[in-house]
Structures are given as C-alpha cells and as structure tokens.
Amino acid sequence: MKITWPSLRISMMVVVFSLALVSIQMGCVGVDRQVQSETVSADVIVDEYLQYLPYVSRPVALPPLELAAAETRTTDNLAQNIFFIWDTVVYASRGVNNTNEPLQANLSWNLEGLCDTGQVYSQTLVLPPGPWEHTYAATTPGCNGAFTATFKLDHLGDISTLDATYLVNLEQAFDRCSLPTVSQMQTWWDTSPYTVWNMYLGGIHFPCSLTNLTPSWVQSVSNQGWDFILTWVGPQAPCSDFYYRFSSNWVTAYFQGADEADAAIAKARSLGINEDLIIYYDLEAYIVPDGDTTCRYAAAKFIQGWTEELHSQGALGGGYGSPCNSYIKDWYDYNATAPDDVWIAHWLLPAQYRPDASVWNVACMDNTYWPDHQRIRQYAGDHTETWGGVAFTIDSSVVDGDTVTLPNTLSVNLPSVDRSAHSTPQELAAAPAPAIQMMDLVTEGMGLALTSDGLLRTEDGGRSWQEITPDIAGGTVLEATFLDEASGWVVMASGLEGNEIRVYRSLDGGESWTASGLLAARGAIARASLHFIDRQTGWLVLKLESGSSFSLGRLYATRDGGRTWEERSAPLGEPPVFVNEARGWMAGGPAGDGFYRTLDGGLTWEAQELPGLPQEPVFIGQPQFTTPQEGRTPVTLLADPDARLLIYATRDGGDTWYRDREVALAPGSQPGSAVPFNLQAEVWHLTDPSVSGLTVFDEGQDAGAPTALETTGLPPGTVNLDFVSPELGWALVQENGCSGDKIPGYQPDPMPFTCEMETRLFRTEDGGLTWVEINPLD
C-alpha cells in the first residue's frame, strides 16, 4: 500500500492524541505503589505543520529494594553509639521491598577501626514485601576508639550502603599501695582514663597503712563513679623468699587459703561492701627448685581453698599473679574449683599508659584459659602518670573481668556495663606514639633522651639529636647513663618476658657498644636503674614484676666497668645511690617510706631512721650529695590540704641525718608521689607537678627562705628535674588530658571519650626563670 504525506500526518496526529490521552489517564488513575517520573523528550520533525512531538511523562518504579536506615543498638533495642569493650552491639538495618513478591538479597556489615576490622556479618536472605528490618548481635571490638560499620544491601548487583559510627571505651584500672585522698580520686576521675581502682583490703604482707580506708572513704569514691578490684595480700608460696609463707603440705595449704578468704571477706564487709563480691588473692612470683612440683601443687591448692571458701559465702574468688612465675595455669589444671577470674601480671615495655593494651596472648598461658570476660591484665608497672596536676606512681591494667560496683548513694545513677557477649582473643598491632621515658643532662651541651623508640644523644644542648641505640634485634632499652661524654652504659631487655638482661658499655660516646654476659634476672623485669661512681665501679638494680604492694629487686655490682657483674642483695627494687665503693642508699618502696643504707657495697642493708618524721603518709626521695660528706634527702608530706616538703641534711656522709628545712608546696597541691627535687652545688630546685613554677634555694648564700620563681615557658606537670650547674638544667614535663563522656549512656548526646599523654623536654640557662622546649622526637 502506498502511503502519502497527508495520511502520514493524520496517523501521527492520532498517535500524538493517543499518547496525550494516556498521559492524562495516568495522572488520574491510582496505582498500587509509589512511582517516580522522569522527563523524556522527542525530537522528531514531521512537516511544516507539526515541528515537534510534545513532552511526555511516563511512570518509572522505585528500585525493588530500598535501604532506609542503618544504626547500632543495645540489647534492649535502644539506639546507642558508645559501648564498652566486649559489649554486645546490635547492628540494625531497615528498608522497603517495593514489589508484591519476596525478594532475595545479600545483607552484610563491615567494620573499620583500630582493631577487629573486616566483615562482621554476611548472609543471603529473602525479604518480604513492604517494610523490612534485620538485626544482628555481635561483640564490640577489643580496643577503644571510633569504628565505622558499613551496611551493604546487594540485590542482583544493585548495591546500596549506609554507615553507622560508634565508639568503644576501654576500661582502664590503676593500683598503688598508698591510699589516695578522696580529693585526689575525684581529680583522677575527672581528668584520667581510669575508671577502676584496685583497693587493697589488707593481709599479712600488705605494707601500707589502711587507717584512712573507711566505709565513708569507699562510698565517697564510689559515688564519684569508681569501680573496684578488691585484693588481699597474705602469705606467699612455700618456696618463695617472702617472710610469711603458707605450708608446702597441700592439705594444710588448702585450709590456710580458706582462712585467708574468711579474713578478706570480713574486711570487705566491714567497709560496707556486701553484695556482688569478688576478691583477688595476690600470689607473687616464686622460684621452683628443679624437678620439685610440691611447691606448685601447694600453691594451687591454696588458691582452691581460697576460691571455695569465698563461694561458700556467696562471693567470687579471683587470683593475681605472673602467668609464668606464679604458675597461674596450675590454678585451672590442678584444681577441682578454679578461680572465677584471674588478674594477669604480664607487662609491656616500656611502662606507660597504653590505650591499645589487650588481655590476650600473655606468656605461659594460652587464650583458652579464662576466656569469657574473666581476665584483667596488669600491663604496665611502676611508672608515674600525672592527670589534673596529681602525680601517682602506679601500675596500669586493662579490665575484661569482674570488678565490684557499689550502689550510688547520690541522686546520680551511673549506667551499668553489659558484658554478656564473648570476647575474641587478639593482640593489637598498634602501639602508642613515641614518648620520652627518661632524660639525663651530662654536661652543658651533652645529654641523653630515652624514648620508646630508642636512645638519643645531643651534643648541642638539644638542638639536634642522633640515635645511639645498640643494634640488638628485638631488644628494649630499659635504662641508660653516661658518666661523661665518652663513658656510658645501657641496659637492654629481650626474651618472652623481657627477662633476658644484658648491659652494654661504650667508651666512644655511643658510637660502638660491648655487651656483658647475660644476667640471671629470674623473673620478669619492670624497670632497671644504673649508678656509676667512676668508670669501673657501678651498680644495677632490676626491679621485678610484682603487685604495687611489693618492691622487689635484684642488685648487681661491677668493678670492671660493666664487663662482669656480681649479684648482691636489695631491700627494695628502687634506684641505688652510692658515694663510694661501700656506702649507699635506697629509698621509697611500696608505701614510699622506706630508707635503707649499706656500708659494704650492697652485700647487706639496714633500715635507717630520719628523725622527726611525721606520722602521716610520706614519700622519701633519693639522697643527693654534693660531696661524699654533704647531702640532702627530700621527703614529700601528703597532708591534705597542707602538703609540704621536708629537707633532711647530713654532714657526716649519711651516718646521721637532721631535719633542715620545711617548704610549703603550692596551695591546693595534691602530691601523690615524691615531688621532683634536684641538688647541684649547694643550690636546689624543686617543683610541684600541679603548678608551673619552681622553688629555688642557694644554701651557699644562706639567704633564708627558699624563693618561689615565676617561670616563663615551663607548663605544669614537671616529673623530673636535672641540673648540671645552678643555672643550666632540663625539665621533663608530662602533659595529658581527656575529652568526651567517661560513662557511655550517661549523657543524652555522648561524645567520644579519648585520652592523650605527651612528654615534653625543656631547657633553662638562667636557673629556671625562662625555659625553651627541645624536642628529641622531631
């Protein structure tokens, strides 16, 4: 059939009319589902009467599956974005199936953050028509920080994603022998990362005073928000060196453990702690004679008696110790009733606050032991932290085990912690940023800085630095000292527990090093201290890993410059001070009030009295001598609110000491450890970490009262002072702070709770008036 232009025009007009009618009908007739419209244009030229086809709208359906929301919730279905470590987190997603038929799709969650990154969940499901919702319960990661959870909906390759961000707060605990004041605890609650405090209840081996530990103190601190680890320090293993020991007969040991449990629970109840009790027994490390299992079996049965007696009184039983040298695994392998929880002392070096610490992968005990929220790990021992201007020497722990929470007697109700999920054993790869661990100003130009990355040396007062760490694979520098610009020594630790110790000597300023033989540490090492009086004669103290109610150390002496070492005895695990080959001192200890003297180079020691010492908590600092006869010993007194410093002096080489001066500290000062004090050529400087100023006194001028300097450039938080002349000195400053909400769910709009710690090094050339920062970490 032949088609002419007029007939084509009529046909096209019919088409246009039909399309227009369809468009009108679609605008008036209802449909079963929502539609979106898109605009389509036609550009067809037909003749001079019909230039263009009109614009036409046509219906386009939504995607068959829509993703509406993705969020995190609690187990009781409340939206939440802050959790504790190992909490149960519910991943929730919802959307719409826009068809009348069930559709198959893959739903998955992926997590990104500091640890436990990767796929959380993936499953192919059939989603019904209409609105749908899906939830999946999992465990929060094993470290703190921000985590982004990405939900992905995949239907036949059509992918939709949404992110949900939440935060994990890692519970941190600290312990120290001396009881803090209520005011100090409030400061640390407000400014530190810690939420749990170890409360020593007592025991025959507990050395600190419990006079001020009262029900009122406990409730006041609990009202601040603190939870508690309760610990009892009684007799120790029969093959240990401790004075009080339980029996090597396992039957007797069992009943002795039960007796200690009775005493501990009675003490807890006298403090008003009656419900939901768990008490940890402090069993320190001990050395087992070769081939003798009697001691280990008796220790295990002692812990069994302890645990079963606590159970009989409605409490849980826990144990503290070294996984290797307290043989924690025996408590499970040998006993019919194992402790409910364990507090594992396995330290990371160097000792410092670590938000990345984990309770897993400790030495001598695999992750199958006490895996279900039954572990606390003490990861750092005997280090000083300053928060809010209050400096404490503490041990630090990470908590994934049972602690004690008291009812809050105030109107504030702090939320509880949900530990219902199972944790995942893992060790984090991330480590804290490098920090300055120690500084030593040797001469006006030459000095050292020990960081967590190695040993650095400067020869121009701190303007430039070079690394001089001995090249030892896997080793950690514990301590370094130089007698002059050429002669120096370094203590290196290696091995599974950091207990393989060697001393390295340099005679060329650190360009080359020579190692001594391996020292028999016989236990995990927390810290090392070196002291040399000349190039040949020196002493080394290795502080052993222990609870903060002990200060255990091994003392070694050398008379050939560090080539060989001979073991002596040590009353404490504290740094030694010697004025000659025979005469030396150690000060401090768990309660801070120990003061010991030796007259035979460390073979034997005796306690020495400082006359007129007040009957209140004190922190005795190291003696410092300007000559073999003239010396000073600083004693920090904690008398809330009138803290002060006593200066004891000697003029006869330390045979006798007398109380020389008393210095008031800054108003409102809250010292929690010995304040930094430095004596140089009859001029001494001291500082209070809570303020930015210095106090200076020149004994040679006999000017009367010490002078408080208004310093410039020195921030608060000084933890160490080192002067090589009355004018030239260094100060090591610890600065830190926390932000966000410490208790998840406590604020209606919670912010991330994060804490940062930084150490900074400063130099003065005018006796402490002005300071400039020098940075070894650049």
Side-chain angles (χ1 to χ4, degrees), residues 231-238 246-247 249-262 278-286 294-312 315-322 325-343 370:
T231 307
W232 187 257
V233 193
Q236 298 296 303
F246 50 82
S247 175
N249 180 288
W250 70 265
V251 176
T252 304
Y254 174 91
F255 287 106
Q256 288 174 320
D259 290 343
E260 294 298 315
D262 290 335
I278 179 169
I279 307 177
Y280 292 80
Y281 194 91
D282 184 340
L283 185 63
E284 294 292 328
Y286 55 93
T294 302
C295 186
R296 287 176 59 177
Y297 196 71
K301 291 303 174 182
F302 179 92
I303 293 296
Q304 181 177 340
W306 161 268
T307 304
E308 291 182 350
E309 181 61 19
L310 287 173
H311 286 180
S312 73
L316 299 179
Y320 165 92
S322 162
N325 298 304
S326 298
Y327 302 93
I328 290 181
K329 196 163 69 74
D330 290 355
W331 307 346
Y332 185 93
D333 291 341
Y334 293 166
N335 291 344
T337 304
D340 301 281
D341 293 62
V342 289
W343 186 6
W370 292 280

Side-chain angles (χ1 to χ4, degrees), residues 288-440:
V288 177
D290 291 340
D292 183 4
T293 60
T294 302
C295 186
R296 287 176 59 177
Y297 196 71
K301 291 303 174 182
F302 179 92
I303 293 296
Q304 181 177 340
W306 161 268
T307 304
E308 291 182 350
E309 181 61 19
L310 287 173
H311 286 180
S312 73
Q313 299 201 41
L316 299 179
Y320 165 92
S322 162
C324 295
N325 298 304
S326 298
Y327 302 93
I328 290 181
K329 196 163 69 74
D330 290 355
W331 307 346
Y332 185 93
D333 291 341
Y334 293 166
N335 291 344
T337 304
D340 301 281
D341 293 62
V342 289
W343 186 6
I344 306 163
H346 186 63
W347 293 357
L348 303 171
L349 298 175
Q352 63 186 75
Y353 161 64
R354 294 181 62 120
D356 66 316
S358 164
V359 298
W360 304 109
N361 300 336
V362 298
C364 305
M365 187 174 74
D366 65 48
N367 292 327
T368 61
Y369 288 82
W370 292 280
D372 189 11
H373 303 293
Q374 297 167 284
R375 292 185 175 207
I376 302 172
R377 178 181 182 178
Q378 189 181 76
Y379 66 83
D382 196 41
H383 65 289
T384 299
E385 293 184 21
T386 302
W387 299 92
V390 176
F392 286 152
T393 299
I394 64 169
D395 300 338
S396 298
S397 297
V398 60
V399 178
D400 187 29
D402 288 297
T403 58
V404 173
T405 302
L406 299 184
N408 196 301
T409 60
L410 302 179
S411 59
V412 176
N413 292 316
L414 299 176
S416 60
V417 180
D418 177 12
R419 302 185 189 280
S420 58
H422 286 270
S423 53
T424 303
Q426 43 92 58
E427 184 72 37
L428 305 182
I436 304 172
Q437 307 290 329
M438 178 276 295
M439 57 85 173
D440 182 18

Side-chain angles (χ1 to χ4, degrees), residues 233-244:
V233 193
Q236 298 296 303
C239 55
S240 70
D241 295 330
F242 295 98
Y243 187 79
Y244 298 102

Side-chain angles (χ1 to χ4, degrees), residues 19 59 70 165 181 390 409 417 456 496 514 640 645 663 672 674 683 702 771:
L19 288 173
T165 299
T181 66
V390 176
T409 60
V417 180
L456 305 175
L496 187 63
T514 302
D640 193 12
L645 186 75
V663 182
V683 176
D702 194 20
W771 297 80

Side-chain angles (χ1 to χ4, degrees), residues 174-181 184 188 382-387 389-395 527 574 588-593 617-622 634-639 643-646 665 669-677 686-690 717-720 734:
F174 81 96
D175 62 287
R176 64 194 298 265
C177 187
S178 298
L179 186 72
T181 66
Q184 288 173 330
W188 267 48
D382 196 41
H383 65 289
T384 299
E385 293 184 21
T386 302
W387 299 92
V390 176
F392 286 152
T393 299
I394 64 169
D395 300 338
R527 188 183 66 194
E574 306 299 332
D593 58 358
V618 299
F619 303 99
I620 301 177
Q622 288 180 286
V635 179
T636 306
L637 275 66
L638 175 59
R644 57 204 190 277
L645 186 75
L646 301 181
L665 299 180
S669 177
Q670 302 181 73
S673 58
V675 299
F677 176 90
L686 70 94
T687 185
D688 182 348
S690 62
T718 299
V719 293
N720 196 9
Q734 195 178 87

Side-chain angles (χ1 to χ4, degrees), residues 17-29 57:
F17 176 78
S18 300
L19 288 173
L21 182 61
V22 170
S23 178
I24 293 171
Q25 289 175 339
M26 289 302 296
C28 299
V29 179
S57 295

Side-chain angles (χ1 to χ4, degrees), residues 528-740:
S529 304
L530 282 168
H531 181 78
F532 277 80
I533 59 173
D534 57 43
R535 291 190 175 187
Q536 300 300 315
T537 310
W539 292 263
L540 165 65
V541 170
L542 300 177
K543 183 165 187 177
L544 302 180
E545 187 177 271
S546 70
S548 58
S549 55
F550 296 93
S551 180
L552 309 176
R554 297 194 178 278
L555 175 65
Y556 300 85
T558 181
R559 294 188 177 182
D560 57 12
R563 295 182 182 87
T564 60
W565 295 85
E566 174 187 301
E567 186 167 2
R568 305 287 173 89
S569 65
L572 301 169
E574 306 299 332
V577 174
F578 281 80
V579 295
N580 55 39
E581 290 187 0
R583 189 175 295 247
W585 287 263
M586 281 190 192
D593 58 358
F595 195 62
Y596 293 88
R597 181 178 68 159
T598 180
L599 298 176
D600 54 17
L603 291 171
T604 60
W605 296 81
E606 62 179 0
Q608 191 173 26
E609 182 181 357
L610 294 176
L613 201 62
Q615 295 299 311
E616 58 186 86
V618 299
F619 303 99
I620 301 177
Q622 288 180 286
Q624 298 182 37
F625 287 82
T626 54
T627 72
Q629 298 299 313
E630 301 276 343
R632 301 291 182 270
T633 295
V635 179
T636 306
L637 275 66
L638 175 59
D640 193 12
D642 299 319
R644 57 204 190 277
L645 186 75
L646 301 181
I647 307 295
Y648 280 82
T650 182
R651 298 183 185 277
D652 56 11
D655 287 337
T656 59
W657 296 87
Y658 62 92
R659 187 164 156 174
D660 184 43
R661 293 186 180 273
E662 181 174 319
V663 182
L665 299 180
S669 177
Q670 302 181 73
S673 58
V675 299
F677 176 90
N678 184 265
L679 176 64
Q680 183 63 231
E682 296 188 331
V683 176
W684 48 260
H685 294 81
L686 70 94
T687 185
D688 182 348
S690 62
V691 298
S692 59
L694 283 179
T695 297
V696 62
F697 183 68
D698 188 344
E699 295 181 342
Q701 296 181 3
D702 194 20
T707 301
L709 299 181
E710 293 292 334
T711 61
T712 301
L714 183 67
T718 299
V719 293
N720 196 9
L721 289 171
D722 191 10
F723 280 77
V724 293
S725 72
E727 293 78 27
L728 184 60
W730 282 1
L732 187 62
V733 175
Q734 195 178 87
E735 289 188 317
N736 43 50
C738 300
S739 62

